[in-house]
Amino acid sequence: MWLDLLFFLLAGGLLTGVCVRYCTIAWILWRNGVHTIGVVVNNERTDSDSGTTFHPVIAFHDQQGNRVVCQPFVSTNEKRPVGQKLPVLYLAHKPEIMYPQEGWHLILALLSNWILLVIGLSFLTGVVFVALRSA
């Protein structure tokens, strides 16, 4: 019984935590992000049972003039053409945390992670049911 409780608690906490982390990063970027222009230099492809996702590799210059090459913190379903210029939001103190700022793309990418939140909260609800069943 305690192992069931621990499993539900850990699984729910982990999945919910991942979703909250993505939302927190998005909020901080939206509120405090530095705007610049980046260029797509590559695309990293990931194939899975649920489909193909892409992580574009984007190069840009930060406020100090340093060239930063990194990937957005969330993936997209579309492959970006190499050489495409994109508006980018990044954190001044941590420029590797960035995302292309294109309309609703950031919000849609975060909403696609809603399943993590639903599953995480389901596991946390399972903790309550396991605890009540044992009482």
CSV table of all heavy atoms in Angstrom, one decimal, residues 52-84:
chain,number,residue,atom,x,y,z
A,52,THR,N,6.7,12.9,-35.3
A,52,THR,CA,8.0,13.6,-35.4
A,52,THR,C,7.9,15.0,-34.9
A,52,THR,O,7.0,15.7,-35.2
A,52,THR,CB,8.4,13.6,-36.9
A,52,THR,OG1,8.4,12.3,-37.4
A,52,THR,CG2,9.7,14.2,-37.1
A,53,THR,N,8.9,15.3,-34.1
A,53,THR,CA,9.1,16.7,-33.6
A,53,THR,C,10.4,17.2,-34.0
A,53,THR,O,11.4,16.5,-34.3
A,53,THR,CB,8.9,16.8,-32.1
A,53,THR,OG1,9.9,16.0,-31.5
A,53,THR,CG2,7.5,16.4,-31.6
A,54,PHE,N,10.5,18.5,-34.1
A,54,PHE,CA,11.8,19.2,-34.5
A,54,PHE,C,12.2,20.2,-33.4
A,54,PHE,O,11.4,20.8,-32.8
A,54,PHE,CB,11.6,19.9,-35.8
A,54,PHE,CG,11.3,19.0,-37.0
A,54,PHE,CD1,10.0,18.7,-37.4
A,54,PHE,CD2,12.4,18.4,-37.6
A,54,PHE,CE1,9.8,17.9,-38.5
A,54,PHE,CE2,12.1,17.6,-38.7
A,54,PHE,CZ,10.9,17.3,-39.1
A,55,HIS,N,13.5,20.3,-33.2
A,55,HIS,CA,14.1,21.3,-32.4
A,55,HIS,C,15.0,22.1,-33.3
A,55,HIS,O,16.1,21.6,-33.6
A,55,HIS,CB,14.9,20.7,-31.2
A,55,HIS,CG,14.1,20.3,-30.0
A,55,HIS,ND1,13.5,19.1,-29.9
A,55,HIS,CD2,13.8,21.0,-29.0
A,55,HIS,CE1,12.9,19.1,-28.7
A,55,HIS,NE2,13.0,20.2,-28.1
A,56,PRO,N,14.6,23.3,-33.7
A,56,PRO,CA,15.4,24.1,-34.5
A,56,PRO,C,16.6,24.6,-33.7
A,56,PRO,O,16.5,24.9,-32.5
A,56,PRO,CB,14.6,25.2,-35.0
A,56,PRO,CG,13.5,25.3,-34.0
A,56,PRO,CD,13.3,23.9,-33.5
A,57,VAL,N,17.8,24.6,-34.3
A,57,VAL,CA,19.0,25.2,-33.7
A,57,VAL,C,19.1,26.6,-34.2
A,57,VAL,O,19.2,26.8,-35.4
A,57,VAL,CB,20.2,24.3,-34.0
A,57,VAL,CG1,21.5,24.9,-33.3
A,57,VAL,CG2,20.0,22.9,-33.6
A,58,ILE,N,19.1,27.5,-33.3
A,58,ILE,CA,19.0,28.9,-33.6
A,58,ILE,C,20.2,29.7,-33.1
A,58,ILE,O,20.6,29.5,-31.9
A,58,ILE,CB,17.7,29.6,-33.1
A,58,ILE,CG1,16.5,28.9,-33.7
A,58,ILE,CG2,17.7,31.1,-33.4
A,58,ILE,CD1,15.2,29.3,-33.1
A,59,ALA,N,20.8,30.5,-33.9
A,59,ALA,CA,22.0,31.3,-33.6
A,59,ALA,C,21.5,32.8,-33.5
A,59,ALA,O,20.8,33.3,-34.3
A,59,ALA,CB,23.1,31.2,-34.6
A,60,PHE,N,22.0,33.5,-32.4
A,60,PHE,CA,21.7,34.9,-32.3
A,60,PHE,C,22.8,35.5,-31.4
A,60,PHE,O,23.6,34.8,-30.9
A,60,PHE,CB,20.3,35.1,-31.7
A,60,PHE,CG,20.2,34.6,-30.3
A,60,PHE,CD1,20.4,35.3,-29.1
A,60,PHE,CD2,19.8,33.3,-30.1
A,60,PHE,CE1,20.3,34.8,-27.9
A,60,PHE,CE2,19.6,32.7,-28.8
A,60,PHE,CZ,19.9,33.5,-27.7
A,61,HIS,N,22.8,36.8,-31.4
A,61,HIS,CA,23.8,37.6,-30.6
A,61,HIS,C,23.1,38.1,-29.4
A,61,HIS,O,22.1,38.8,-29.5
A,61,HIS,CB,24.5,38.7,-31.4
A,61,HIS,CG,25.4,38.1,-32.4
A,61,HIS,ND1,25.0,37.8,-33.7
A,61,HIS,CD2,26.7,37.8,-32.3
A,61,HIS,CE1,26.0,37.3,-34.4
A,61,HIS,NE2,27.1,37.3,-33.6
A,62,ASP,N,23.7,37.9,-28.2
A,62,ASP,CA,23.1,38.4,-26.9
A,62,ASP,C,23.4,39.9,-26.8
A,62,ASP,O,24.1,40.5,-27.6
A,62,ASP,CB,23.5,37.6,-25.7
A,62,ASP,CG,24.9,37.6,-25.4
A,62,ASP,OD1,25.7,38.5,-26.0
A,62,ASP,OD2,25.4,36.9,-24.5
A,63,GLN,N,23.0,40.5,-25.6
A,63,GLN,CA,23.3,41.9,-25.4
A,63,GLN,C,24.8,42.3,-25.3
A,63,GLN,O,25.1,43.4,-25.6
A,63,GLN,CB,22.6,42.3,-24.1
A,63,GLN,CG,21.1,42.4,-24.2
A,63,GLN,CD,20.5,42.7,-22.8
A,63,GLN,OE1,20.9,42.3,-21.8
A,63,GLN,NE2,19.4,43.4,-22.8
A,64,GLN,N,25.6,41.3,-25.0
A,64,GLN,CA,27.0,41.6,-24.9
A,64,GLN,C,27.7,41.4,-26.2
A,64,GLN,O,28.9,41.5,-26.3
A,64,GLN,CB,27.7,40.7,-23.8
A,64,GLN,CG,27.3,41.1,-22.4
A,64,GLN,CD,25.9,40.7,-22.0
A,64,GLN,OE1,25.4,39.7,-22.4
A,64,GLN,NE2,25.3,41.5,-21.2
A,65,GLY,N,27.0,40.9,-27.2
A,65,GLY,CA,27.5,40.7,-28.6
A,65,GLY,C,28.1,39.3,-28.7
A,65,GLY,O,28.7,39.0,-29.8
A,66,ASN,N,27.9,38.4,-27.7
A,66,ASN,CA,28.3,37.0,-27.9
A,66,ASN,C,27.4,36.2,-28.7
A,66,ASN,O,26.2,36.4,-28.6
A,66,ASN,CB,28.4,36.4,-26.5
A,66,ASN,CG,29.3,37.1,-25.5
A,66,ASN,OD1,30.4,37.5,-25.9
A,66,ASN,ND2,28.9,37.2,-24.3
A,67,ARG,N,28.0,35.4,-29.6
A,67,ARG,CA,27.1,34.5,-30.4
A,67,ARG,C,26.6,33.3,-29.6
A,67,ARG,O,27.4,32.6,-29.0
A,67,ARG,CB,27.9,34.0,-31.7
A,67,ARG,CG,27.0,33.2,-32.6
A,67,ARG,CD,27.8,33.0,-33.9
A,67,ARG,NE,26.9,32.5,-34.9
A,67,ARG,CZ,26.8,31.2,-35.3
A,67,ARG,NH1,27.6,30.3,-34.8
A,67,ARG,NH2,26.0,30.8,-36.3
A,68,VAL,N,25.3,33.1,-29.6
A,68,VAL,CA,24.7,32.0,-28.8
A,68,VAL,C,24.1,31.1,-29.8
A,68,VAL,O,23.3,31.6,-30.7
A,68,VAL,CB,23.7,32.6,-27.8
A,68,VAL,CG1,23.0,31.5,-27.1
A,68,VAL,CG2,24.3,33.6,-26.9
A,69,VAL,N,24.3,29.8,-29.7
A,69,VAL,CA,23.7,28.8,-30.6
A,69,VAL,C,23.0,27.8,-29.6
A,69,VAL,O,23.7,27.2,-28.8
A,69,VAL,CB,24.7,28.1,-31.5
A,69,VAL,CG1,24.0,27.1,-32.3
A,69,VAL,CG2,25.5,29.1,-32.3
A,70,CYS,N,21.7,27.7,-29.7
A,70,CYS,CA,20.9,26.8,-28.8
A,70,CYS,C,19.6,26.5,-29.4
A,70,CYS,O,19.2,26.9,-30.5
A,70,CYS,CB,20.8,27.5,-27.5
A,70,CYS,SG,20.0,29.0,-27.5
A,71,GLN,N,18.9,25.6,-28.7
A,71,GLN,CA,17.5,25.2,-29.1
A,71,GLN,C,16.5,25.8,-28.2
A,71,GLN,O,16.8,26.0,-27.0
A,71,GLN,CB,17.4,23.7,-29.1
A,71,GLN,CG,18.4,23.0,-30.0
A,71,GLN,CD,18.3,21.4,-29.7
A,71,GLN,OE1,17.8,21.0,-28.7
A,71,GLN,NE2,18.8,20.7,-30.7
A,72,PRO,N,15.3,26.0,-28.7
A,72,PRO,CA,14.2,26.4,-27.8
A,72,PRO,C,13.9,25.4,-26.8
A,72,PRO,O,14.2,24.2,-27.0
A,72,PRO,CB,13.0,26.6,-28.8
A,72,PRO,CG,13.5,26.6,-30.1
A,72,PRO,CD,14.8,25.9,-30.1
A,73,PHE,N,13.3,25.8,-25.6
A,73,PHE,CA,13.1,24.8,-24.6
A,73,PHE,C,11.9,23.9,-24.8
A,73,PHE,O,11.7,23.0,-24.1
A,73,PHE,CB,12.9,25.6,-23.2
A,73,PHE,CG,11.7,26.4,-23.1
A,73,PHE,CD1,10.6,25.8,-22.4
A,73,PHE,CD2,11.6,27.7,-23.6
A,73,PHE,CE1,9.4,26.6,-22.3
A,73,PHE,CE2,10.5,28.4,-23.4
A,73,PHE,CZ,9.4,27.9,-22.8
A,74,VAL,N,11.1,24.2,-25.9
A,74,VAL,CA,10.1,23.2,-26.3
A,74,VAL,C,10.2,23.0,-27.8
A,74,VAL,O,10.7,23.8,-28.5
A,74,VAL,CB,8.6,23.8,-26.0
A,74,VAL,CG1,8.4,23.8,-24.5
A,74,VAL,CG2,8.4,25.1,-26.6
A,75,SER,N,9.7,21.8,-28.2
A,75,SER,CA,9.8,21.4,-29.6
A,75,SER,C,8.6,21.9,-30.4
A,75,SER,O,7.6,22.4,-29.9
A,75,SER,CB,9.9,19.9,-29.7
A,75,SER,OG,8.7,19.3,-29.2
A,76,THR,N,8.8,21.8,-31.7
A,76,THR,CA,7.7,22.2,-32.6
A,76,THR,C,7.4,21.1,-33.6
A,76,THR,O,8.2,20.1,-33.7
A,76,THR,CB,8.0,23.5,-33.4
A,76,THR,OG1,9.2,23.2,-34.3
A,76,THR,CG2,8.3,24.7,-32.6
A,77,ASN,N,6.3,21.1,-34.3
A,77,ASN,CA,5.9,20.1,-35.2
A,77,ASN,C,6.4,20.4,-36.6
A,77,ASN,O,6.1,19.6,-37.5
A,77,ASN,CB,4.4,19.9,-35.2
A,77,ASN,CG,3.9,19.2,-33.9
A,77,ASN,OD1,4.7,18.5,-33.3
A,77,ASN,ND2,2.7,19.6,-33.5
A,78,GLU,N,7.0,21.6,-36.8
A,78,GLU,CA,7.4,22.0,-38.1
A,78,GLU,C,8.9,22.1,-38.2
A,78,GLU,O,9.5,22.6,-37.3
A,78,GLU,CB,6.6,23.2,-38.6
A,78,GLU,CG,6.9,24.4,-37.6
A,78,GLU,CD,6.0,25.6,-37.9
A,78,GLU,OE1,4.8,25.5,-37.6
A,78,GLU,OE2,6.5,26.5,-38.5
A,79,LYS,N,9.4,21.8,-39.4
A,79,LYS,CA,10.8,21.9,-39.6
A,79,LYS,C,11.0,23.4,-40.2
A,79,LYS,O,10.4,23.8,-41.1
A,79,LYS,CB,11.3,20.9,-40.7
A,79,LYS,CG,12.8,20.9,-40.9
A,79,LYS,CD,13.1,19.8,-41.9
A,79,LYS,CE,14.6,19.8,-42.1
A,79,LYS,NZ,15.0,18.7,-43.0
A,80,ARG,N,12.0,24.1,-39.6
A,80,ARG,CA,12.3,25.4,-40.0
A,80,ARG,C,13.4,25.4,-41.1
A,80,ARG,O,14.3,24.6,-41.0
A,80,ARG,CB,12.9,26.2,-38.9
A,80,ARG,CG,12.0,26.2,-37.6
A,80,ARG,CD,10.9,27.1,-37.8
A,80,ARG,NE,10.1,27.2,-36.6
A,80,ARG,CZ,9.2,28.1,-36.3
A,80,ARG,NH1,8.9,29.0,-37.2
A,80,ARG,NH2,8.5,28.0,-35.2
A,81,PRO,N,13.2,26.2,-42.1
A,81,PRO,CA,14.2,26.3,-43.2
A,81,PRO,C,15.5,26.9,-42.6
A,81,PRO,O,15.5,27.8,-41.9
A,81,PRO,CB,13.6,27.2,-44.3
A,81,PRO,CG,12.3,27.5,-43.8
A,81,PRO,CD,12.1,27.0,-42.4
A,82,VAL,N,16.7,26.2,-43.0
A,82,VAL,CA,18.0,26.7,-42.5
A,82,VAL,C,18.2,28.1,-43.2
A,82,VAL,O,17.9,28.3,-44.4
A,82,VAL,CB,19.1,25.8,-42.9
A,82,VAL,CG1,20.4,26.4,-42.6
A,82,VAL,CG2,18.9,24.5,-42.2
A,83,GLY,N,18.6,29.1,-42.4
A,83,GLY,CA,18.8,30.4,-42.9
A,83,GLY,C,17.6,31.4,-42.6
A,83,GLY,O,17.7,32.6,-42.8
A,84,GLN,N,16.5,30.8,-42.2
A,84,GLN,CA,15.3,31.6,-41.8
A,84,GLN,C,15.6,32.5,-40.6
A,84,GLN,O,16.1,32.1,-39.6
A,84,GLN,CB,14.1,30.7,-41.5
A,84,GLN,CG,12.9,31.5,-41.1
A,84,GLN,CD,11.7,30.6,-40.7
A,84,GLN,OE1,11.9,29.4,-40.5
A,84,GLN,NE2,10.5,31.1,-40.6
